[in-house]
Amino acid sequence: MTADPVKAARLVAEAAANAPLEEVPQRVCGAVSEGLGVDGATLSLLTDTPSRQLLAASSDAALRLEEIQFTVLEGPCISSAQTGEPVAVHDLRHELTPWPLFGATVRQQLPQLESVYALPVFFGDYVLGTIDLLALRPHALGDETLDQASQVADAVTTALMTTREMLLTGTQAPAWKPEEVVRAHWFDTTRAIGTLVARRGLTAEDALALMRAEAFRTGKSLSDIASAVLRDPPDAP
């Protein structure tokens, strides 16, 4: 598979054109994966904050990659959202990553992954979120491709602008497709944080930290812990 940023940007624009709004993120992920020749992609907003939103994941592996980063609070997408720069891990098996929890967890839970990349998505000067890319081979994207990747991220921003009203609506369950995945990995997590805040008198940050710690301790996903909190608030996590 050959990475082609120009093709990827074009495919993103075509995927979003005349698409139902709730399907735009999923279509955009597929277009980015195809254009850049990778094996999966995720699209998230505000990835480095408790109000992070998962918009789409193109595969189960991509979804798990995003879950791991949000649970351990480190990894390529977190760093990319914080710095506004592309982040590359060209060889997960042989390259020592700067994120010890992320590196160890990914190698254990996703041993098939060989390389991971994160691209910041901007709205003006503000980092709106990130695109995560994963590949089953090392060095999937070269330096030249990464240098040109901003045009892909710009195409994603343009595609998302058609859905800006939905992006700003946080009081109802998300309409993004697939609805059950997005709901579990954003809306229900936020509800669980609110439940712990109300029951235990925690701050939102401490409630999220408690849920993350339980996810890391048990090996479950953060969405699983959120579901447990919502099912049985007095005893969870």
Side-chain angles (χ1 to χ4, degrees):
M1 292 183 286
T2 302
D4 187 340
V6 174
K7 176 183 177 181
R10 174 176 56 79
L11 290 175
V12 166
E14 292 174 353
N18 301 316
L21 295 183
E22 65 272 14
E23 295 180 9
V24 168
Q26 193 77 13
R27 294 191 182 194
V28 163
C29 278
V32 171
S33 295
E34 180 181 348
L36 293 181
V38 294
D39 298 294
T42 65
L43 176 58
S44 295
L45 301 185
L46 305 175
T47 319
D48 61 336
T49 76
S51 60
R52 163 260 199 187
Q53 301 176 28
L54 172 74
L55 295 187
S58 66
S59 66
D60 290 342
L63 177 60
R64 188 62 189 135
L65 176 67
E66 192 74 359
E67 288 177 334
I68 290 170
Q69 293 184 86
F70 193 49
T71 298
V72 302
L73 200 57
E74 63 179 29
C77 80
I78 304 293
S79 294
S80 185
Q82 290 173 337
T83 65
E85 298 289 338
V87 175
V89 182
H90 291 295
D91 191 340
L92 274 168
R93 291 192 180 184
H94 303 102
E95 183 179 334
L96 183 64
T97 75
W99 318 282
L101 291 178
F102 168 81
T105 307
V106 166
R107 291 184 185 100
Q108 179 185 34
Q109 297 188 13
L110 294 170
Q112 72 274 31
L113 291 195
E114 297 276 7
S115 54
V116 178
Y117 305 89
L119 308 176
V121 176
F122 284 91
F123 180 64
D125 295 330
Y126 175 71
V127 179
L128 188 66
T130 59
I131 308 165
D132 263 16
L133 311 168
L134 57 108
L136 307 183
R137 64 193 188 283
H139 297 275
L141 300 181
D143 291 337
E144 183 178 353
T145 298
L146 289 174
D147 288 342
Q148 300 174 14
S150 61
Q151 60 189 300
V152 180
D154 288 345
V156 171
T157 299
T158 300
L160 289 179
M161 285 305 98
T162 62
T163 70
R164 56 187 176 273
E165 294 300 324
M166 296 173 70
L167 294 177
L168 296 175
T169 301
T171 58
Q172 298 180 355
W176 310 113
K177 302 291 184 181
E179 183 177 350
E180 66 280 1
V181 172
V182 177
R183 181 185 180 109
H185 293 84
W186 165 46
F187 190 73
D188 286 350
T189 300
T190 301
R191 289 175 57 216
I193 290 171
T195 297
L196 291 178
V197 167
R199 296 194 65 88
R200 301 193 180 187
L202 302 173
T203 65
E205 289 76 13
D206 286 344
L208 180 58
L210 182 64
M211 292 168 57
R212 281 187 168 124
E214 183 68 5
F216 189 72
R217 182 186 71 82
T218 61
K220 296 179 180 179
S221 70
L222 191 62
S223 63
D224 290 335
I225 301 302
S227 295
V229 171
L230 295 174
R231 284 196 307 269
D232 193 13
D235 301 323

